[in-house]
Amino acid sequence: MDVRAAIAFEAGKPLVVDTVQLEGPRNAEVLVEIKATGLCHTDKYTLSGQDPEGLFPAILGHEGAGIVREVGPDVRHLKPGDHVIPLYTPECRECKSCLSQKTNLCTSIRSTQGKGLMPDGTSRFSYKGKPVLHYMGCSTFANYTVLPEIALAKIRDDAPFDKVCYIGCGVTTGLGAVLFTAKVEPNSTVVVFGLGGIGLNVIQGAKLVGARQIIGVDINPAREAMARQFGMTDFVNPKDLGPDGDVVGHLVELTGGGADYTFECVGNTTLMRQALECAHRGWGVSCVIGVAGAGQEISTRPFQLVTGRRWIGSAFGGARGRTDVPKIVDWYMDNRIDIDSLITHKLPLERINEGFDLMTRGESIRTVVEY
Ligand code: NAD
Ligand code: AHE
Ligand code: ZN
């Protein structure tokens, strides 16, 4: 069938909106009509060419919501008409990782997904007769896409697509890192580096669990107002500390000795080190969420770990998608979390490149494309 899509032909070049061909679902696969998709920084990262797994031509996008239109043979849990959120971290409930109950990182289809292919090793998308690759198993920058059944969370029918699409990545990543990965306790002190689409959801999660101090760190002063609305108690702009400013020392002082929990939500390895080092001696936990490009490495003095700080990481907020995503949709529908304020821009697919420009200029939190 013909579908409208934004195609990433080459790293560093704008997306091209055109008609591509999509084959129907094969065994255990589902055809989904995507109704809305958010633009996440990770899409920009892959398009930039820094992602070692970035392959082209591909259809990017991994923060969507839509409706099941057709199911292939052996689909057991979904039917046409079901409302769904695509999962770049699937949940097969059968692989070693799922059965371990120690991680959300289902491994059942990770190798083909990383190659831009469906589990049978082929692509469903093509353009002028040549294959176009899938992205993070989702490809939500197309108004129809095909996914494995295990990579879809079924959600309630009354949830608005243009809001809950954000649960497909940013909301779940930020809230989940606090609730599922770090397990922040009430009365904790928290430092959040980067107050964008992820960091603001970390703040929202920290407030939800009853953190007593939530410090936000960002070089964009325009982020302060929104972050305060979400529960930030103190704002630090490293630029205000001057070129030789001691960000770590400042944060240690502000928290009275170091934070109980810190989160890096930028993808900058210098900040990852700062986030670890401003965690409290003896028990502070620092969680890496930001994604850094090929060749980048983190470092610190081992002494930082010897003296009891713990360095951890979180993908998709540690959420088990088919189990946890429907619950997070319920939290939104019950007004326990705010998504609407974070969706600062909406665009039609034809103008998707403007969404990346808004992100680059730091003007948007989330841009949503509605089909
Ligand atoms: P974003 O562009 O919306 O936000 C990034 C924020 O970082 C901006 O507010 C920016 O001003 C700030 N920033 C940039 N440089 C800074 C610096 N030197 N000091 C302080 N602040 C600085 O991006 P996002 O969508 O929130 O994504 C953030 C990161 O999280 C990206 O690396 C993205 O790839 C990653 N991510 C990871 C996961 C995961 O599962 N681990 C999921 C989604 C996104
Ligand atoms: N290909 C990238 C991977 C980047 C990465 O870590 N991605 C996160 C999700 S970011 C969503 O916006 C993730 O889920 N990681 C676990 C996984 O299995 O990929 C790179 O840098 O290599
Ligand atoms: Zn994302």
Side-chain angles (χ1 to χ4, degrees):
M1 66 189 283
D2 284 354
V3 310
R4 292 295 287 170
I7 311 150
F9 281 108
E10 253 185 272
K13 296 277 163 63
L15 303 178
V16 175
V17 178
D18 206 342
T19 300
V20 302
Q21 280 67 51
L22 178 65
E23 274 183 47
R26 296 189 190 169
N27 206 47
E29 295 176 3
V30 175
L31 172 73
V32 177
E33 179 181 0
I34 298 292
K35 294 298 214 178
T37 180
L39 273 58
C40 171
H41 202 113
T42 307
D43 298 305
K44 182 172 133 112
Y45 157 77
T46 301
L47 186 59
S48 76
Q50 291 177 64
D51 181 354
E53 283 189 309
L55 298 166
F56 303 89
I59 296 171
L60 304 180
H62 61 281
E63 197 173 76
I67 306 177
V68 171
R69 291 303 181 202
E70 193 185 325
V71 298
D74 284 342
V75 168
R76 287 179 289 167
H77 303 286
L78 292 169
K79 59 182 186 314
D82 284 346
H83 292 208
V84 288
I85 288 182
L87 302 169
Y88 59 83
T89 306
E91 184 186 350
C92 76
R93 298 174 176 163
E94 286 170 2
C95 71
K96 182 182 176 188
S97 298
C98 284
L99 290 175
S100 77
Q101 289 292 307
K102 289 173 189 281
T103 178
N104 65 328
L105 293 175
C106 174
T107 40
S108 59
I109 58 169
R110 182 63 183 84
S111 60
T112 45
Q113 182 173 313
K115 296 185 182 97
L117 301 169
M118 295 298 285
D120 72 352
T122 62
S123 173
R124 301 287 160 274
F125 289 108
S126 60
Y127 181 72
K128 298 186 176 165
K130 293 197 178 140
V132 174
L133 295 166
H134 298 249
Y135 173 66
M136 290 175 70
C138 294
S139 292
T140 58
F141 293 167
N143 65 342
Y144 287 83
T145 186
V146 170
L147 296 105
E149 178 182 28
I150 57 164
L152 288 164
K154 179 171 158 25
I155 60 163
R156 56 200 274 173
D157 291 354
D158 56 345
F161 296 115
D162 64 331
K163 306 296 189 308
V164 298
C165 60
Y166 193 7
I167 296 173
C169 182
V171 171
T172 304
T173 298
L175 290 179
V178 174
L179 276 78
F180 307 138
T181 306
K183 301 187 176 71
V184 175
E185 304 96 355
N187 217 31
S188 299
T189 56
V190 174
V191 176
V192 184
F193 287 78
L195 306 176
I198 305 302
L200 289 168
N201 278 296
V202 170
I203 289 186
Q204 170 153 234
K207 167 98 176 165
L208 203 65
V209 300
R212 80 179 146 83
Q213 186 181 28
I214 306 173
I215 303 172
V217 183
D218 204 298
I219 50 172
N220 180 353
R223 292 285 140 107
E224 181 175 355
M226 181 78 85
R228 284 199 188 277
Q229 185 186 320
F230 275 78
M232 180 181 74
T233 55
D234 309 75
F235 179 62
V236 174
N237 184 341
K239 287 183 176 170
D240 294 343
L241 302 178
D244 302 321
D246 177 11
V247 180
V248 171
H250 185 66
L251 291 165
V252 168
E253 199 184 316
L254 261 182
T255 49
D260 299 320
Y261 295 93
T262 71
F263 296 87
E264 200 279 353
C265 314
V266 181
N268 176 320
T269 54
T270 303
L271 302 186
M272 291 176 193
R273 179 174 190 155
Q274 292 175 354
L276 177 79
E277 295 182 359
C278 73
H280 203 288
R281 186 176 191 277
W283 66 77
V285 172
S286 185
C287 182
V288 173
I289 302 177
V291 167
Q296 306 248 5
E297 294 183 348
I298 47 174
S299 63
T300 190
R301 277 194 70 207
F303 176 72
Q304 295 289 338
L305 304 177
V306 167
T307 49
R309 293 170 192 84
R310 281 185 290 144
W311 221 343
I312 63 172
S314 182
F316 195 41
R320 293 180 174 82
R322 287 164 65 203
T323 304
D324 295 324
V325 160
K327 293 183 196 162
I328 298 175
V329 171
D330 286 343
W331 299 348
Y332 168 70
M333 296 301 284
D334 294 343
N335 290 317
R336 291 183 61 197
I337 56 169
D338 178 8
I339 294 182
D340 298 16
S341 310
L342 298 173
I343 297 174
T344 51
H345 297 78
K346 277 200 182 173
L347 290 171
L349 183 68
E350 281 63 30
R351 292 173 57 195
I352 191 167
N353 289 305
E354 292 174 40
F356 287 107
D357 296 341
L358 288 163
M359 192 190 289
T360 304
R361 294 198 301 267
E363 290 172 22
S364 57
I365 303 296
R366 268 306 191 256
T367 296
V368 165
V369 165
E370 261 191 297
Y371 292 98

